[in-house]
Amino acid sequence: MSTPADVISLPTPQPVATRRRAGWLGSFPVVPTLILLIIALVAVFADQLAPHNPEIGSLAARFKPPFWQAGGTATYLLGTDQLGRDVLSRLIFGARVSMVVGITAVLFAGAVGTLLGIVSGYLGGWVDQVIMRITDTWLALPALTFAIFLAAIVGPSMWNIVFILGLTYWTRYARVVRGEVLSLREREFVRLAIVAGCSKWTIMLRHILPNVVNSAVVLASLMLGVVIITEATLSFLGVGVPPPQPAWGLMLSDGKQGLMVGYWWLTVFPGCCIMLMVLSANLLGDWLRVKFDPQLRQL
């Protein structure tokens, strides 16, 4: 007869949902990363990949369907729009616009927000109050409405959109980084740096900044999809990238009138491009968030 000491307790099995989530979030997102890399390569080599000029078309080739449909031709693989411009070429150059606007705006917003968050969290006092009250006011404004307001003031342009999106989304970084700095400034290595006679700016740049870079990078990966959607929305509303420059949001705006009469390729293809890019960026951002957050990594 076995005694209680001889009984072997089996480990409690994890719930199926927990194991499934660990499998999805614990492994590197290969497919989303490949999609983003392909879009980036297409954006870089757009001049070599595009078969036609994306801004110039032929009225004789208006509303050509994709090559697999009746009336389609291999000259225009994905069809043409209302001005006879090649849809494939406009999608390729639209990837460049989305990548440039998305990455540059995220970097601009991240640099401004991270700097202000570090200054606010470390200095405290009236500096913290001023920066945080401005941040709260900025966050209270609807992001899209505020971006439309700024775009109406400065005018439509790709680099103006970068500036507008940076001004719209820097507050997200400032809020997150400030919360981390409030904890970091009480650590021993910061106190030792103060005792050693380091200046405040030296402490912020050499000791605080490297410890908040991970959070800023993770937030940037999550914000990339938001910025791309906002840029496409502004272009769709006519206050973003000006025509005839190709942009996915602008292509959606130009093709919405032909959707109900059968010209589906004018909206489906740019819509799918936006969906794939935003979904891939969000999946990569979720993986980074779990990877660099110890509490989520233990789940």
Coordinates of all heavy atoms in Angstrom, one line a residue, residues 32 58 82 131 160-161 189 216 248 261 281:
P32 N 3.7 37.8 -41.1 CA 3.6 39.3 -41.1 C 4.9 40.0 -41.3 O 4.9 41.0 -42.0 CB 3.1 39.6 -39.6 CG 2.4 38.3 -39.2 CD 3.2 37.2 -39.8
S58 N -3.9 56.4 -70.3 CA -4.5 56.6 -71.7 C -6.0 56.5 -71.6 O -6.5 55.5 -71.1 CB -3.9 55.5 -72.6 OG -4.6 55.6 -73.9
Q82 N -10.2 55.2 -64.0 CA -11.1 56.0 -64.8 C -10.3 56.9 -65.7 O -10.8 57.5 -66.7 CB -12.0 56.9 -63.9 CG -11.3 58.0 -63.1 CD -10.7 57.5 -61.8 OE1 -10.7 56.3 -61.6 NE2 -10.1 58.4 -61.0
I131 N 3.9 69.8 -19.1 CA 4.0 68.9 -20.2 C 2.8 67.9 -20.2 O 2.1 67.6 -21.2 CB 5.3 68.1 -20.2 CG1 6.5 69.0 -20.5 CG2 5.2 66.9 -21.2 CD1 7.8 68.3 -20.4
N160 N 3.8 67.2 -45.4 CA 2.9 67.9 -44.4 C 2.1 66.9 -43.6 O 1.9 67.0 -42.4 CB 1.9 68.8 -45.2 CG 2.6 70.1 -45.6 OD1 3.7 70.4 -45.2 ND2 1.9 70.8 -46.5
I161 N 1.7 65.8 -44.3 CA 1.0 64.7 -43.6 C 1.9 64.0 -42.6 O 1.5 63.7 -41.5 CB 0.5 63.6 -44.6 CG1 -0.5 64.3 -45.5 CG2 -0.1 62.4 -43.9 CD1 -1.7 64.8 -44.8
F189 N 20.8 52.9 -9.7 CA 21.8 53.3 -10.6 C 21.6 54.8 -10.9 O 22.6 55.5 -11.2 CB 21.8 52.5 -11.9 CG 20.5 52.6 -12.7 CD1 20.4 53.6 -13.7 CD2 19.5 51.8 -12.5 CE1 19.3 53.7 -14.4 CE2 18.3 51.9 -13.2 CZ 18.2 52.9 -14.2
A216 N 9.4 52.2 -26.2 CA 9.2 53.1 -27.3 C 9.2 52.4 -28.7 O 8.3 52.6 -29.5 CB 10.3 54.2 -27.4
W248 N -2.8 54.8 -51.5 CA -3.8 53.8 -51.4 C -5.1 54.4 -51.0 O -6.2 54.0 -51.5 CB -3.4 52.7 -50.4 CG -2.3 51.8 -50.9 CD1 -1.9 51.7 -52.3 CD2 -1.4 51.0 -50.2 NE1 -0.8 50.9 -52.4 CE2 -0.5 50.4 -51.1 CE3 -1.3 50.7 -48.9 CZ2 0.5 49.5 -50.7 CZ3 -0.3 49.8 -48.5 CH2 0.6 49.2 -49.4
V261 N -21.0 50.0 -60.1 CA -21.2 49.7 -61.5 C -20.3 48.6 -62.0 O -20.2 48.4 -63.2 CB -21.1 51.0 -62.4 CG1 -22.2 52.0 -62.0 CG2 -19.7 51.6 -62.2
A281 N 1.6 44.8 -39.4 CA 2.2 45.6 -38.4 C 1.6 45.4 -37.0 O 2.4 45.4 -36.0 CB 2.0 47.1 -38.8

